[in-house]
């Protein structure tokens, strides 16, 4: 298990740029990179310099920022891409090539032995040119690849002793946590190298799969802010943080958690999105308690119904009062917050009034406050 010792590879500026409404300009990229650096992510992955002239210039601009995080770029497995990547001055290069029958047939047309030859050639070239660069080799569509093919490729690459990290990618978002656990454990055991997991969310397992990868010994997890990426994206940064926090808060204490709301808001704004109401930590309903029984317990001790303390993220909880499920503890708490001295019988009566009125339509906080202030006079 590597919960105590893992790194986030934040790919909002690579995978995230592949999201339908994402096209970040240079100043937006710099703002995102600075925020993620202040949050404390260890690595930032950027679009290949071959994508467009601006993409190349933007890598150079981020490298110049001299941030604490390592700047990586993501390239196809060929020497020309590698040469262009090295030329930008990045700290690391992420090389990827498809190994599934689908990608072999429809993407690059190379057989497994040809993939191995090419991979070794490209990796040796990068290492020769840049002995100290962080070098990762990844197979695309790992979970639809034949296991024997995958292991052959990984072992050949690992045997060179030239790469720092191997990557496993659930490119079409179909892996189960048990499959991720099994494959990652096997790679860790056979190669002893650092392992990165990149998981798409097409069938809703991206966070669970990232967690399974860490349980199996993966050392690096790819995320994007809000989970943006191709189709419906990959493991969201905030979702991974929520997942790890609820296992043990210490697993995320290295990050500046109170920056998460600003990070999510910034990407939502740049992509013309709303933060989903049910988003991990920063969704509008993430810390709203409604039913009377919940409100009572949360008012006594928030941990009764909160696995995550909103204050750790600079947020606060809300007790919803003006609805038919309300309870008198929530009403009393509101009266106290307003500094009103109302006896319990009256508070219970007000609670019944709220329930009756809310059967017709929910009450605003102002309407509740009016009822309470009326009773206090
Ligand atoms: C891509 C595919 C990729 C690569 C992941 C990786 C995927 O868009 O190039 O390099 O590990 O999901 O397979 O994002
Ligand atoms: Cu991807």
């Amino acid at each position: 298990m590597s919960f105590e010792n893992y790194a986030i590879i934040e790919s909002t500026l690579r995978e995230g740029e592949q999201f339908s409404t994402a096209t970040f300009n240079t100043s937006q990229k710099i703002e995102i990179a600075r925020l993620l650096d202040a949050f404390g992510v260890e690595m930032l992955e950027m679009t290949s310099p071959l994508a467009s002239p601006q993409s190349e210039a933007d890598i150079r601009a981020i490298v110049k920022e001299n941030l604490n995080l390592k700047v990586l770029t993501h390239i196809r497995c060929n020497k020309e891409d590698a040469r262009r990547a090295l030329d930008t001055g990045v700290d690391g290069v992420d090389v990827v090539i498809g190994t599934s029958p689908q990608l072999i047939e429809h993407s690059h047309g190379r057989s497994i032995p040809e993939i191995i030859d090419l991979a070794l050639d490209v990796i040796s070239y990068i290492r020769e040119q840049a002995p100290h660069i962080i070098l990762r080799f990844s197979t695309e569509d790992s979970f639809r690849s034949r296991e024997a093919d995958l292991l052959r490729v990984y072992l050949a690459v690992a045997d060179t002793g030239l790469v720092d990290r191997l990557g496993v990618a659930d490119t079409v978002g179909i892996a189960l946590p048990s499959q991720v656990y099994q494959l990652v454990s096997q790679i860790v055991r056979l190669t002893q190298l650092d392992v990165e997991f990149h998981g798409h969310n097409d069938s809703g397992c991206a966070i669970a799969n990232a967690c399974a990868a860490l349980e199996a010994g993966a050392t690096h997890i790819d995320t994007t802010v809000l989970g943006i990426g191709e189709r419906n994206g990959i493991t969201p940064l905030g979702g991974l943080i929520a997942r790890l926090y609820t296992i043990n808060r210490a697993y995320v204490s290295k990050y500046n958690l109170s920056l998460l709301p600003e990070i999510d808001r910034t990407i939502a704004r740049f992509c013309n999105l709303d933060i989903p109401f049910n988003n991990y930590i920063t969704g509008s309903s993430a810390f709203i308690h409604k039913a009377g029984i919940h409100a009572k317990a949360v008012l006594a001790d928030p941990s009764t119904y909160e696995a995550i303390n909103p204050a750790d993220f600079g947020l606060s909880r809300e007790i919803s009062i003006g609805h038919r499920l309300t309870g008198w503890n929530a009403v009393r708490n509101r009266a106290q917050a307003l500094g009103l001295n109302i006896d319990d019988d009256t508070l219970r009566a007000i609670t019944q009034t709220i329930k009756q009125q809310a059967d017709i339509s929910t009450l605003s906080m102002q309407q509740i406050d009016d009822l309470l202030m009326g009773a206090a006079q």
Side-chain angles (χ1 to χ4, degrees):
M1 270 198 291
S2 39
F3 290 129
E4 277 106 352
N5 188 21
Y6 69 94
I8 290 177
I9 299 180
E10 231 299 326
S11 189
T12 299
L13 297 186
R14 196 284 291 175
E15 176 75 53
E17 266 216 303
Q18 298 174 219
F19 182 64
S20 53
T21 65
T23 309
F24 305 120
N25 63 34
T26 311
S27 68
Q28 288 174 330
K29 287 189 189 179
I30 292 174
E31 189 175 337
I32 295 166
R34 285 182 183 160
L35 272 171
L36 290 170
D37 191 50
F39 183 79
V41 302
E42 290 83 353
M43 296 185 182
L44 183 81
E45 187 180 64
M46 297 193 66
T47 299
S48 166
L50 286 97
S52 72
Q54 194 59 53
S55 301
E56 177 168 5
D58 290 346
I59 299 175
R60 294 180 194 278
I62 301 285
V63 167
K64 268 209 206 108
E65 286 284 303
N66 270 320
L67 302 171
N68 286 320
L69 52 74
K70 302 281 182 213
V71 181
L72 317 176
T73 190
H74 185 259
I75 58 165
R76 295 167 299 187
C77 189
N78 72 60
K79 277 195 199 167
E80 176 55 13
D81 284 27
R83 187 188 65 73
R84 295 274 302 273
L86 296 177
D87 194 50
T88 61
V90 283
D91 302 302
V93 179
D94 291 344
V95 179
V96 67
I97 188 162
T99 45
S100 66
Q102 289 86 343
L103 291 180
I104 287 176
E105 190 182 336
H106 301 295
S107 175
H108 55 68
R110 289 189 168 80
S111 65
I112 294 293
E114 286 168 343
I115 290 174
I116 293 176
D117 285 348
L118 180 66
L120 300 192
D121 196 31
V122 173
I123 287 162
S124 317
Y125 170 76
I126 296 175
R127 215 15 112 218
E128 264 165 40
Q129 301 295 312
H132 302 298
I133 205 146
I134 306 167
L135 179 53
R136 181 216 72 175
F137 173 84
S138 174
T139 66
E140 187 181 359
D141 209 4
S142 317
F143 291 87
R144 290 192 304 180
S145 304
R146 290 180 52 231
E147 193 175 283
D149 290 345
L150 267 187
L151 296 179
R152 237 175 109 187
V153 174
Y154 284 133
L155 283 172
V157 168
D159 279 351
T160 64
L162 299 177
V163 302
D164 300 292
R165 203 166 76 243
L166 295 172
V168 176
D170 181 16
T171 304
V172 292
I174 39 102
L176 286 165
S178 54
Q179 293 171 311
V180 173
Y181 186 88
Q182 195 268 341
L183 181 61
V184 171
S185 315
Q186 211 172 1
I187 299 168
V188 169
R189 184 165 42 82
L190 292 174
T191 69
Q192 312 282 321
L193 281 174
D194 281 359
V195 174
E196 166 182 349
F197 175 76
H198 175 100
H200 279 261
N201 203 31
D202 300 71
S203 57
C205 283
I207 299 172
N209 285 343
C211 189
L214 290 174
E215 285 182 291
T219 49
H220 294 71
I221 299 294
D222 290 12
T223 66
T224 59
V225 177
L226 297 174
I228 60 172
E230 285 284 348
R231 307 182 305 282
N232 71 345
I234 66 164
T235 307
L237 174 65
L240 179 70
I241 295 293
R243 176 62 280 178
L244 298 177
Y245 176 113
T246 51
I247 301 171
N248 186 338
R249 197 194 171 293
Y251 296 159
V252 293
S253 57
K254 61 181 170 171
Y255 299 116
N256 190 352
L257 301 180
S258 62
L259 280 179
L260 187 67
E262 187 185 347
I263 291 172
D264 280 359
R265 278 197 308 270
T266 302
I267 296 301
R269 182 160 47 88
F270 289 168
C271 297
N272 288 316
L273 300 170
D274 288 327
I275 295 176
F277 72 90
N278 57 352
N279 198 45
Y280 318 94
I281 302 164
T282 60
S284 56
S285 69
F287 298 107
I288 298 182
H289 302 276
K290 182 170 175 186
I293 294 170
H294 286 237
K296 178 185 177 189
V298 165
L299 288 168
D301 179 352
S303 73
T304 48
Y305 284 107
E306 270 175 8
I308 295 173
N309 181 356
D312 284 337
F313 296 86
L315 299 169
S316 40
R317 72 184 58 86
E318 187 185 318
I319 307 286
S320 163
I321 306 177
H323 53 83
R324 63 163 69 122
L325 307 181
T326 202
W328 82 282
N329 282 281
V331 177
R332 182 179 56 180
N333 182 261
R334 182 65 190 166
Q336 283 166 352
L338 293 173
L340 302 174
N341 192 9
I342 306 176
D343 65 77
D344 286 357
D345 286 347
T346 310
L347 285 169
R348 286 180 197 277
I350 293 172
T351 306
Q352 289 314 311
T353 306
I354 293 172
K355 282 173 175 282
Q356 274 160 17
Q357 291 190 14
D359 259 346
I360 298 158
S361 90
T362 51
L363 285 78
S364 66
M365 198 59 109
Q366 188 57 55
Q367 288 173 295
I368 291 161
D369 291 355
D370 289 346
L371 280 172
L372 290 168
M373 285 188 290
Q377 281 156 14

